[in-house]
Amino acid sequence: MALNRRDTLRLFGAGAVAITGAPALIGCSSDGNSGDVGNEGKELAPYPAYVPLVGPTPDLPGDDKGVQNAYLNYPTEIKPAGFDTPGDGSAVTASVITYGVPPTALEQNKFRQAINAALGIQLDLQVIPAANFKEKMATMMAGNELPDIMMFGAGEVLPREEQFIASACADISEHISGDAVKTYPGLANIPAYAWQGLGRIGGRLYGIPIERPIFGGSLMLNRTLVEKAGAKPDWDKDGFLAAMKGVTGGKRYGLGIAMAPSIDYYAGGLGAPNVWDVGADGKFATAFGTQQYKDTLVMLQQMFKDGSVYPDGASTSGTDMKTVFNNQTVAAYRDGWGGYSTQVLAIAKDKWTLDFGLPFAGGNSWGGTGRFGYTVFKKADPARVKMLLAVTNFLAAPFGTKEFELFNYGVEGTHFTRDDKGTPVPTDLWTNTENSTNFPVKYLGSAPLVLHYSGFPDATERVYEWEKKVAPITIPDPSNGIRSQAWTENGAALQKSLTDAWMGIIFRGEDISTYDAVLTKWHNDGGQKAAEEFAAEYAASK
Amino acid sequence: MTVTAASTGGTPAPDAAPGDPPVPEPRAPKVKPKRTRAQRLRRDLFLVGLMLPGVIYFVVFHYGALFGNLIAFKDYVTFIGVWDSAWVGIDNFTVLLGDPDFWNAAGNTVVIALLQLVFFFPAPLALALLLNSLVGDKIRRFVQSVVYLPHFISWVIVVALFNQVLGDVGVLNGILDDNGLSTIDIIGNPDAFKPLVVVQVIWKEAGWGTIIFLAALANVDEQLYEASAIDGAGWWRRLWHVTLPAIRPVIVLLLILRLGDILTVGFEQFFLQRDAVGPEVGEVLDTFIYWSGIQDGHFGVAAAAGLMKGVLGVALVYTANKISHRLGEQGVYR
């Protein structure tokens, strides 16, 4: 046996000293590694200028409030973007999240070959499965071999992410700040809110956002079930409650609430501010402590008690809740904007109508971050950085161009054919193996999204109508794009403590009065410090 | 190990005639000359060589890895590295011990560990005895294979299975509901959580745990059973007086080893279910470390918690080993 008594004793002794000695040594702490990533008091590099590219005329035009350009059908005329081939033939490594399986080898993968040819580089894409994105990224950050292009985000905030970027990644301010971005027309086509949402680190620009619309969480709705129950989805709170009750019966429930839920749709509906409440004096207070938010919790608790909420929600993951919704066990659940997809539309088909629920009358809608993620570049000489920027620029070729078609539909004849209207129809090769899910260059650089559900023009129209109504009442998260060291270091645990409390109140009937103690602890454990840091940063960013 | 030199000579023979040469006085036992370390090494070189691969494995992957515990005393930042991260003394321990959530997690862990010890630890033994008493080799092999299977199912599936069967919209409550009976709330019920997780672990691991016990049972001398049967001992008496004493060293060994990682009650199982019942009952040390250590990148605090768990484990093994010696058992080491 590897154990020997003397060593055993020695080990134990050392541990005991470490534990019992603890109180005597309090105070010899240092703030060691907290790098300064804030923007307060720094000279701020201006955000890139916005020079929209003119694409195919949309069927339903977007606006500057955040409504997207909508295309009911695929454009008939596809033009080249007119960008120069960005690469110099060199090898480029890049890391990116994947929701698919690893791509096949370059020699046999025509999609990869076409992308290499178009970009003029030998792209070595390191795909990281979404399930262990966080761990893999942490390992990569700790290692010495960084890829040339790294994608961050995808809903995951990594510990000390900004600190890492500031210390290991290229400052690209001089290349894209202000009018400089006009060298890269694809990047200049990214709207201002996406850049602002990404923010600066220490006053400088490091990343290129992978843009998403301004909308955040919303209510996925089975409109058929709701209307069958005699309700109309342009509801106020009482109308919503009645509708959910009306749907419930037998093995069917009105609302699905998953474990560790976001309840932003309901809270926004009752008028709660988005994540942070910014006072007139510029002070930050958590929106999760507002009266509106407490009212939301009480409302959901009551709904659960009444039986109009799916009873197993507390042990159902967000992903599983999608299934519960898709098989019509629940008529509504909260999901991100991306939950509304052609996949769900294909499931619903003619059986039921998929729609977004409108916020309660008089309420607001919590906006999202304005991005899927963002890309940063390994430190290199300026020529190399410029080349990499040109690669992301090329990948940001807008909807309606040859390049966009390549990145999102593949090679015509190999990966897709066209139907009589010109809409790309994927081949089996694309559906099964060589596609943009398994080789997601779309997460290295992307044009602003347009509204287009291929093959579902009526769904496109419904979402467009929804965006028209919701964009004006969408409120941003004031902490989006600004930095707080306290939040970086404690955010996950702080957020978890709140989610735990929400679960207790909604599913286990804990009294709302217990919530104040949770909030107090939240404040003391770093929430208050984060609020102060955010407030200072917020003021500085104005 | 040292062999005392046998004394030669001794008292004079009784029949010795005077004038005979005197019998030499008895000599002190001859002390073997002490070999030097180098000499002993040369003698045992071959054996040492045989041991080397194992030693290297332990040095690199176990003792070497122990130095990672350094980060329990540092504000470790992955991309700065272990050496360049700042020393913070015992700050990480102070933070940990001052956190009521840590104590809540520790309390849950201890309760669940004790429940596992009382209910889960004997389960494989009971199952092994049952399997061992099965006649018919084919049936036994089949049953053995079936009870091993759950070990290879991941916790995600096991938890989902339990939810499907025992959940509020699961099979059990479906049947109850269809027959007009009142449903029972098991999944998501904080009071039922601790028994539930023990039942889950028994379902999943009891079969796998029988392997060592079955091997031990196979070594029990058949003649002892025959002899005791002839003496009129029934099934129970044979179990009590033959089987259990024969495999007692194995039971004690496994028990002590189990104590070493008793505080590792399992991560996935709790990670998947804690949200449904809340942290008050569902948080264990491993999930606590995950949320407050790994998620926010407080690797120092996480390492401190791990180190304390390890130290406690060593203490438990040491104590249990001592007790087993008192009781006349070999234990893990002498």
Side-chain angles (χ1 to χ4, degrees), chain B residues 25-329:
Chain B
E25 284 292 303
R27 280 180 295 155
K30 194 174 167 188
V31 178
K32 212 176 174 184
K34 204 177 177 190
R35 289 175 197 242
T36 63
R37 227 166 244 258
Q39 279 170 327
R40 277 188 315 193
L41 183 67
R42 209 170 306 132
R43 185 193 62 190
D44 298 337
L45 204 57
F46 183 68
L47 291 175
V48 170
L50 280 180
M51 227 173 73
L52 211 58
V55 170
I56 290 174
Y57 165 78
F58 272 102
V59 166
V60 173
F61 293 105
H62 291 261
Y63 293 105
L66 277 180
F67 286 102
N69 279 323
L70 263 188
I71 66 172
F73 305 95
K74 287 193 158 215
D75 178 16
Y76 175 59
V77 179
T78 48
F79 52 88
I80 294 180
V82 175
W83 293 115
D84 295 332
S85 292
W87 287 100
V88 293
I90 52 150
D91 263 19
N92 291 328
F93 292 89
T94 322
V95 167
L96 196 65
L97 297 177
D99 188 344
D101 293 341
F102 167 75
W103 291 108
N104 173 49
N108 284 331
T109 309
V110 169
V111 171
I112 291 166
L114 289 177
L115 284 173
Q116 283 188 357
L117 199 64
V118 174
F119 293 100
F120 170 60
F121 183 76
L125 178 60
L127 191 58
L129 289 171
L130 216 66
L131 281 173
N132 200 46
S133 65
L134 278 180
V135 278
D137 238 15
K138 268 193 185 154
I139 302 177
R140 193 165 76 177
R141 291 233 178 95
F142 176 73
V143 175
Q144 242 170 294
S145 309
V146 170
V147 296
Y148 288 168
L149 279 180
H151 171 76
F152 298 101
I153 304 177
S154 81
W155 271 115
V156 181
I157 310 287
V158 174
V159 168
L161 275 176
F162 271 80
N163 283 356
Q164 292 291 322
V165 175
L166 302 177
D168 286 333
V169 290
V171 177
L172 176 67
N173 280 325
I175 294 172
L176 289 175
D177 202 28
D178 290 345
N179 292 302
L181 301 164
S182 62
T183 57
I184 41 174
D185 181 23
I186 301 169
I187 307 281
N189 177 357
D191 298 325
F193 181 69
K194 280 172 182 142
L196 177 72
V197 292
V198 176
V199 168
Q200 285 171 341
V201 83
I202 290 175
W203 184 83
K204 187 175 184 303
E205 300 294 346
W208 186 249
T210 58
I211 293 179
I212 293 179
F213 289 122
L214 281 174
L217 286 171
N219 282 332
V220 182
D221 194 346
E222 285 288 327
Q223 291 180 21
L224 292 174
Y225 286 116
E226 285 168 22
S228 56
I230 289 167
D231 288 346
W235 181 84
W236 175 251
R237 290 230 157 242
R238 287 201 298 267
L239 174 71
W240 190 251
H241 291 293
V242 179
T243 315
L244 287 179
I247 63 170
R248 197 172 59 190
V250 174
I251 300 177
V252 171
L253 181 84
L254 287 180
L255 184 64
I256 295 173
L257 290 180
R258 172 81 195 106
L259 286 176
D261 55 8
I262 189 164
L263 292 182
T264 309
V265 289
F267 171 73
E268 276 173 85
Q269 189 190 4
F270 294 93
F271 178 71
L272 291 163
Q273 298 183 94
R274 80 180 269 291
D275 284 354
V277 291
E280 292 80 15
V281 298
E283 190 93 276
V284 294
L285 282 177
D286 287 345
T287 52
F288 170 81
I289 290 171
Y290 177 76
W291 283 114
S292 71
I294 311 293
Q295 280 285 315
D296 280 326
H298 299 171
F299 293 102
V301 175
L307 187 60
M308 280 171 44
K309 250 175 67 178
V311 167
L312 210 61
V314 169
L316 281 172
V317 168
Y318 179 76
T319 319
N321 203 44
K322 263 267 165 284
I323 293 173
S324 78
H325 290 171
R326 289 271 158 80
L327 298 176
E329 288 289 337

Side-chain angles (χ1 to χ4, degrees), chain A residues 185-472:
Chain A
L187 302 182
N189 187 34
I190 297 171
Y193 72 84
W195 294 105
Q196 287 159 11
L198 184 53
R200 309 176 181 91
I201 301 172
R204 310 295 292 173
L205 302 171
Y206 288 88
I208 309 285
I210 311 295
E211 187 264 6
R212 287 293 178 269
I214 61 163
F215 308 102
S218 190
L219 192 74
M220 295 277 282
L221 197 64
N222 184 326
R223 203 181 165 115
T224 314
L225 283 181
V226 170
E227 283 177 347
K228 219 185 273 175
K232 275 203 194 136
D234 52 342
W235 42 40
D236 55 8
K237 179 190 162 188
D238 293 332
F240 168 73
L241 293 179
M244 292 300 113
K245 205 165 201 169
V247 171
T248 304
K251 301 262 184 267
R252 183 164 283 157
Y253 304 90
L255 188 63
I257 304 176
M259 61 201 284
S262 293
I263 56 173
D264 49 4
Y265 167 79
Y266 323 101
L270 296 186
N274 189 348
V275 184
W276 293 97
D277 186 12
V278 186
D281 53 358
K283 282 217 171 93
F284 269 49
T286 173
F288 305 126
T290 55
Q291 190 55 46
Q292 294 99 317
Y293 208 84
K294 291 177 184 170
D295 292 346
T296 309
L297 290 168
V298 172
M299 176 187 90
L300 295 173
Q301 180 185 54
Q302 192 56 45
M303 287 179 76
F304 186 77
K305 269 187 201 153
D306 294 346
S308 45
V309 173
Y310 181 66
D312 260 356
S315 51
T316 306
S317 72
T319 318
D320 290 342
M321 191 53 81
K322 290 176 200 273
T323 316
V324 173
F325 174 76
N326 292 347
N327 66 25
Q328 303 201 67
T329 304
V330 298
Y333 79 105
R334 182 267 176 207
D335 202 343
W337 185 86
Y340 198 108
S341 65
T342 43
Q343 283 99 309
V344 185
L345 288 165
I347 292 169
K349 258 189 186 156
D350 310 326
K351 291 182 294 233
W352 49 279
T353 309
L354 174 67
D355 205 355
F356 272 140
L358 286 169
F360 306 158
N364 63 53
S365 175
W366 288 20
T369 58
R371 65 178 177 277
F372 169 79
Y374 61 100
T375 44
V376 292
F377 310 93
K378 185 171 84 171
K379 273 186 182 154
D381 61 84
R384 175 94 179 154
V385 171
K386 276 185 185 169
M387 191 275 282
L388 297 174
L389 274 168
V391 168
T392 52
N393 174 65
F394 197 86
L395 288 166
F399 182 74
T401 61
K402 273 270 166 224
E403 290 81 358
F404 181 92
E405 195 170 82
L406 169 65
F407 302 138
N408 293 280
Y409 298 93
V411 180
E412 185 168 3
T414 308
H415 298 115
F416 70 91
T417 54
R418 288 184 203 279
D419 67 7
D420 49 359
K421 280 192 202 141
T423 312
V425 180
T427 60
D428 284 349
L429 181 66
W430 179 265
T431 311
N432 298 331
T433 38
E434 297 180 9
N435 55 45
S436 61
T437 304
N438 296 340
F439 197 72
V441 282
K442 60 183 174 184
Y443 298 146
L444 288 181
S446 164
L449 292 189
V450 298
L451 204 51
H452 173 65
Y453 297 99
S454 207
F456 297 97
D458 51 333
T460 309
E461 213 163 344
R462 278 200 302 276
V463 177
Y464 178 79
E465 289 306 320
W466 178 87
E467 286 190 356
K468 272 280 193 198
K469 287 181 192 147
V470 174

Side-chain angles (χ1 to χ4, degrees), chain A residues 29 33 134 489 496 500 503, chain B residues 75 91 274-275 295 298:
Chain A
S29 78
N33 303 315
K134 214 167 171 169
E489 289 183 9
K496 189 70 190 157
D500 285 338
M503 295 273 290
Chain B
D75 178 16
D91 263 19
R274 80 180 269 291
D275 284 354
Q295 280 285 315
H298 299 171

Side-chain angles (χ1 to χ4, degrees), chain A residues 38-46 171 173 177 200-205 540:
Chain A
N39 296 298
E40 191 193 356
K42 306 267 171 64
E43 197 185 321
L44 304 178
D171 175 354
S173 309
S177 184
R200 309 176 181 91
I201 301 172
R204 310 295 292 173
L205 302 171

